Amino acid sequence: MADSAKPSNKRKRVVLTITQKLDIIRRLERGENKQDLMRKFNIGSSTIYDIKFQKDKLMKFASSAETSKASDERRTLQQPQHEKLDKILYDWFLLKQEEGIPISGPMLMEEARDFSGKLNIAKECKFSDGWLSCFKKCHGIRKTDISGGKKSADSESADEFSAFFKEFIKKNNINLDQIYNADETGVYFRCLPTSTLTGPNEISAHGFKKNKERLTVLTCANATGSHKIKLLVIGNSKNPRALTGIKHLPVAYKNQKNCWMDRDIFIYWFKCIFVPSVISELKSKGKPEDNKVILLIDNCRAHPSNAELCHRNISAMFLPPNVTSLIQPMDQGIIQNLKMIYCKNFMRRLINAEGTLTEFQSSFTIKDAIYGLASSWNAVKPRTLRRGWRKLLFVTHF
């Protein structure tokens, strides 16, 4: 009978950082035993030979590195494919840091795309999450905070309502394009990120006073993503100076002293915005105007009763308490997507603006915010709108 195989004592492969390699070089120069170093770092003699062979390159890298953090994380001396682009982008990053502008990963990627276009190398570059990770490691960049959790959700009630609602639309023969959901959200329209990418030697990011000017935005769309209702924006000023002389806005605008939704504003939106828009949509699709349409909303105290939200075939239905985070369509990524698009466009304007951060914030008006929100809402894709309904309707093919 053949002998049983003996367990392998093969040494596990170790990839040293630049800092560790430099430490080995210093230890060798002090006369430390090579065998001791091999045991300490769990490496073979060939690795020691390679490190000695690369000594000049390693020392040159260490002397030219912007920070020690880059050497702590980097493991090879491999240069980026496009060194000029890498240098330009890192210089831009340092400049924005000095100006106190928060920088996020997506912003770095967006700027890299712009620079690659100017350098005529856009077709050769792919700015993926992997590229971003390598760029940050190469320069010792990390994420730093600049400066809630969900309410308890009732899963049982959510499941019960989902089953009821699915049966209700089936029993009443209601098409998915005749089911709408509306929900409000707050928008700090001069928004700045709450975190930024920083250099390795910075303990905290440059501070700035958080701008708390707020708007409330009401979003609404149907379950197929084929019909978006134009946004309702609520500010605290009845006649904002920035809107003087503008007769037609891309959103409906109302005012309330705290910028909150209230009963009167919601009734106005339902009767003057929602109902006419739905009737127009039914006509455009050649459907009878008496087709049943459901508006699904949460049980916020600012929302009127069912009796006040009824217009012939168009009526409202309320979600149970404590289920909105689980099944309300607008809370399943739709509002988040709207805000992400808005913030991305806002930060792009900030990056390209001349002057200081404070000057840009002061010059950015409610008019800019309204047009920015309308543009962002238009950019939310039908697929995103459809996906928001999957949990409520148990539909996976959305």
Side-chain angles (χ1 to χ4, degrees), residues 85 88-89 92-93 96 103-118 127 131 347-348 351-352:
L85 172 63
I88 291 173
L89 186 62
W92 172 86
F93 170 73
K96 294 304 173 184
I103 302 297
S104 65
M107 288 169 63
L108 263 179
M109 294 166 73
E110 184 73 19
E111 201 63 26
R113 291 188 186 96
D114 289 343
F115 284 136
S116 68
K118 293 174 183 176
F127 300 105
W131 170 88
M347 294 306 295
R348 183 179 288 130
I351 290 170
N352 294 327

Side-chain angles (χ1 to χ4, degrees), residues 54-107:
Q54 290 184 310
K55 175 183 173 181
D56 292 341
K57 291 182 179 179
L58 288 166
M59 298 299 288
K60 183 178 178 180
F61 174 84
S63 63
S64 62
E66 294 90 351
T67 64
S68 60
K69 184 72 175 177
S71 299
D72 291 341
E73 296 189 357
R74 191 164 175 176
R75 298 177 185 275
T76 71
L77 294 174
Q78 183 178 353
Q79 295 299 314
Q81 183 180 1
H82 301 285
E83 292 187 48
K84 187 174 182 181
L85 172 63
D86 186 86
K87 184 179 186 308
I88 291 173
L89 186 62
Y90 186 64
D91 288 344
W92 172 86
F93 170 73
L94 294 176
L95 177 64
K96 294 304 173 184
Q97 269 195 303
E98 291 177 4
E99 294 174 358
I101 296 176
I103 302 297
S104 65
M107 288 169 63

Side-chain angles (χ1 to χ4, degrees), residues 342-357:
Y342 175 82
C343 287
K344 178 180 177 181
N345 293 336
F346 176 87
M347 294 306 295
R348 183 179 288 130
R349 286 188 59 171
L350 170 59
I351 290 170
N352 294 327
E354 296 182 358
T356 65
L357 181 85

Side-chain angles (χ1 to χ4, degrees), residues 86-271:
D86 186 86
K87 184 179 186 308
I88 291 173
L89 186 62
Y90 186 64
D91 288 344
W92 172 86
F93 170 73
L94 294 176
L95 177 64
K96 294 304 173 184
Q97 269 195 303
E98 291 177 4
E99 294 174 358
I101 296 176
I103 302 297
S104 65
M107 288 169 63
L108 263 179
M109 294 166 73
E110 184 73 19
E111 201 63 26
R113 291 188 186 96
D114 289 343
F115 284 136
S116 68
K118 293 174 183 176
L119 294 171
N120 296 318
I121 56 172
K123 292 182 179 180
E124 305 171 29
C125 303
K126 184 178 180 181
F127 300 105
S128 61
D129 290 339
W131 170 88
L132 178 62
S133 177
C134 289
F135 181 83
K136 291 194 293 184
K137 283 183 178 180
C138 179
H139 296 287
I141 296 171
R142 72 192 192 285
K143 188 175 180 181
T144 306
D145 288 338
I146 291 178
S147 325
K150 290 184 179 179
K151 293 181 178 179
S152 58
D154 190 340
S155 300
E156 186 176 344
S157 292
D159 292 340
E160 288 177 359
F161 182 82
S162 294
F164 157 77
F165 189 69
K166 192 173 182 180
E167 183 63 28
F168 174 82
I169 60 177
K170 182 179 179 181
K171 182 179 179 180
N172 289 274
N173 196 29
I174 304 173
N175 293 329
L176 293 182
D177 60 357
Q178 293 163 214
I179 305 170
Y180 292 77
N181 175 231
D183 191 26
E184 302 90 351
T185 185
V187 175
Y188 292 99
F189 66 92
R190 292 189 176 112
C191 57
L192 287 173
T194 56
S195 63
T196 182
L197 300 177
T198 63
N201 292 333
E202 292 182 273
I203 297 174
S204 61
H206 294 290
F208 53 84
K209 187 176 180 181
K210 184 176 180 180
N211 190 293
K212 296 183 179 180
E213 291 190 72
R214 180 179 180 272
L215 298 171
T216 291
V217 179
L218 178 67
T219 59
C220 181
N222 66 359
T224 59
S226 61
H227 185 209
K228 296 177 191 171
I229 308 296
K230 75 175 179 179
L231 296 178
L232 170 69
V233 176
I234 304 171
N236 60 9
S237 176
K238 185 175 182 180
N239 298 301
R241 183 180 300 176
L243 302 182
T244 302
I246 300 176
K247 295 182 179 180
H248 302 289
L249 288 171
V251 303
Y253 178 80
K254 299 296 283 185
N255 75 292
Q256 199 270 351
K257 65 178 181 179
N258 294 315
C259 298
W260 293 340
M261 174 64 77
D262 62 24
R263 177 180 168 278
D264 292 337
I265 293 177
F266 199 93
I267 290 176
Y268 158 81
W269 173 81
F270 180 80
K271 292 182 176 180

